[in-house]
Amino acid sequence: MADDNRTEVFVYEQIVILISCALSLLGSLLIICTYIIWTDLRTTPRKLLVFLSVTDLLSALSYSYGVGRIFDSNSVECITQGAISTFANTSSFFWTVAIAVYLYIFIVKSSQRLADSLVLYFHLISWGVPLAITVAALALQKIGYDASEVSVGWCWVSIQAPDHVLWMLLTGKIWEILAYVILPVLYILIKSHIHKAHAALSEYRPILHSNPVSSSFSAMADRKLTLIPIIFISLRIWSTVRFLLLLLDSPARQNPVLVTLHGIGNTFQGAANCIMFVLCTKPVRVRLVALLCCRSISSHGVTESQSQHRGGGDAPSHAEDRNRPQVLGE
């Protein structure tokens, strides 16, 4: 493809997308760290969200490198970055669908055992298929410079490959389009079931057994998890639009607004998940704020606590921690 057909990436677009990458990177790390720090958050739905966050983290890293470099040839760096983003991006599609499938079986079919038994298959498919596709694309030299025709500075499928449309489908777009069909169907079925069985939600959430409050938190978390497909579609649709415009050979694919939305959509999912399942989830948010506050005043708090203990004062009570219900934390 001639250089005059290259989609120009402006400096302001680079800045906006790099900020989006940074937020997604931080958001993904925060989801992973909260899972590691608090053991009672290590439920299967939360674990699936962590795997999705790992792919979002890899995507953010690879995309930020590509946007920062703005590749203009099939260099080794370009191909390496393109391979990493291809694997991470495709894996993200599979994990997003896997979460929806898990929730459908868990909530609608009321079978935690069946849902949990699928986790191994989720791993085999969500890691294995993207890896196989990426290795095949690398072996056949299909990954490389794409003139930002369906990217924003980063590398993906080489635009010079005669069968580049086929490989764009295989390395992402076909899975993305399938997700647009599968996710809304599962989402509607889940929401319909929850609406009909609202009064008996605890019966459909056999994750926790400690107390009724735990079941209520679990139900709330499950409802939030169903929003993952909505986040996915609203962010990813812009890249699909640009792909369709490429097939139509429309110059509209180079529109700066559309290019910016594409860049944000491909890089912001980690941040969006963090906002939904950490910052906007009270149990996790309260713990996070308490952790940060405790660290900031530790030098004063530890001294005061030790003084009270030596003086026969009341020791800090852990009754609240013992009585606090375990939650999914999503």
Side-chain angles (χ1 to χ4, degrees):
M1 179 169 288
D3 288 340
D4 57 359
N5 286 333
R6 173 180 176 177
T7 300
E8 183 176 1
V9 180
F10 299 100
V11 174
Y12 76 87
E13 293 173 335
Q14 285 182 273
I15 294 173
V16 170
I17 296 168
L18 284 172
I19 292 173
S20 177
C21 288
L23 292 174
S24 190
L25 177 63
L26 291 174
S28 298
L29 286 173
L30 195 54
I31 290 174
I32 295 169
C33 287
T34 55
Y35 178 84
I36 294 173
I37 293 172
W38 293 301
T39 57
D40 58 315
L41 298 183
R42 297 176 188 175
T43 60
T44 302
R46 183 74 179 189
K47 186 184 298 183
L48 298 180
L49 182 62
V50 167
F51 296 140
L52 175 60
S53 297
V54 170
T55 66
D56 292 334
L57 187 149
L58 287 175
S59 293
L61 287 173
S62 61
Y63 284 142
S64 63
Y65 186 78
V67 172
R69 290 278 284 104
I70 306 294
F71 293 107
D72 56 7
S73 64
N74 284 324
S75 63
V76 174
E77 289 178 289
C78 167
I79 294 173
T80 301
Q81 178 271 309
I84 294 173
S85 62
T86 295
F87 168 77
N89 204 40
T90 307
S91 183
S92 178
F93 300 156
F94 281 96
W95 278 116
T96 303
V97 173
I99 290 173
V101 171
Y102 182 93
L103 289 175
Y104 173 77
I105 295 174
F106 185 28
I107 298 172
V108 179
K109 299 299 183 180
S110 303
S111 178
Q112 181 181 3
R113 178 177 297 179
L114 176 59
D116 288 344
S117 69
L118 295 177
V119 172
L120 175 60
Y121 297 99
F122 291 158
H123 279 287
L124 293 175
I125 296 173
S126 299
W127 300 123
V129 173
L131 181 61
I133 292 173
T134 303
V135 170
L138 282 172
L140 296 174
Q141 300 181 340
K142 301 300 180 181
I143 293 179
Y145 172 63
D146 74 344
S148 293
E149 289 294 83
V150 197
S151 69
V152 189
W154 57 75
C155 291
W156 184 29
V157 173
S158 175
I159 201 69
Q160 297 177 348
D163 53 353
H164 62 271
V165 172
L166 172 63
W167 280 97
M168 285 179 178
L169 287 169
L170 290 175
T171 57
K173 291 306 168 187
I174 190 171
W175 314 113
E176 190 175 59
I177 293 170
L178 283 174
Y180 292 155
V181 177
I182 296 171
L183 296 178
V185 171
L186 294 177
Y187 174 76
I188 291 172
L189 291 174
I190 292 170
K191 295 299 291 183
S192 175
H193 177 82
I194 290 176
H195 177 73
K196 293 177 181 178
H198 181 74
L201 275 179
S202 60
E203 180 182 348
Y204 295 85
R205 306 295 191 279
I207 295 181
L208 305 172
H209 309 284
S210 56
N211 54 50
V213 180
S214 297
S215 297
S216 124
F217 278 120
S218 176
M220 179 178 63
D222 282 336
R223 287 198 296 271
K224 283 195 172 185
L225 277 173
T226 59
L227 292 177
I228 287 182
I230 300 301
I231 295 172
F232 173 86
I233 293 173
S234 63
L235 291 177
R236 298 287 184 171
I237 191 66
W238 310 109
S239 65
T240 304
V241 170
R242 286 194 71 205
F243 173 70
L244 295 176
L245 291 174
L246 174 67
L247 297 183
L248 297 173
D249 197 23
S250 170
R253 68 182 180 275
Q254 299 178 336
N255 182 283
V257 175
L258 184 57
V259 171
T260 303
L261 289 173
H262 175 188
I264 294 173
N266 268 44
T267 59
F268 196 72
Q269 183 164 337
N273 288 339
C274 179
I275 292 171
M276 179 65 65
F277 303 115
V278 175
L279 302 183
C280 290
T281 301
K282 187 175 180 180
V284 183
R285 185 177 66 249
V286 168
R287 293 185 186 197
L288 194 59
V289 171
L291 180 63
L292 295 175
C293 290
C294 287
R295 287 182 179 275
S296 66
I297 64 174
S298 59
S299 59
H300 297 86
V302 170
T303 303
E304 182 179 351
S305 175
Q306 290 175 345
S307 176
Q308 290 179 351
H309 184 68
R310 287 194 300 267
D314 292 338
S317 173
H318 298 283
E320 182 180 351
D321 287 338
R322 288 195 303 267
N323 294 328
R324 182 183 298 143
Q326 293 181 330
V327 296
L328 284 173
E330 289 113 345

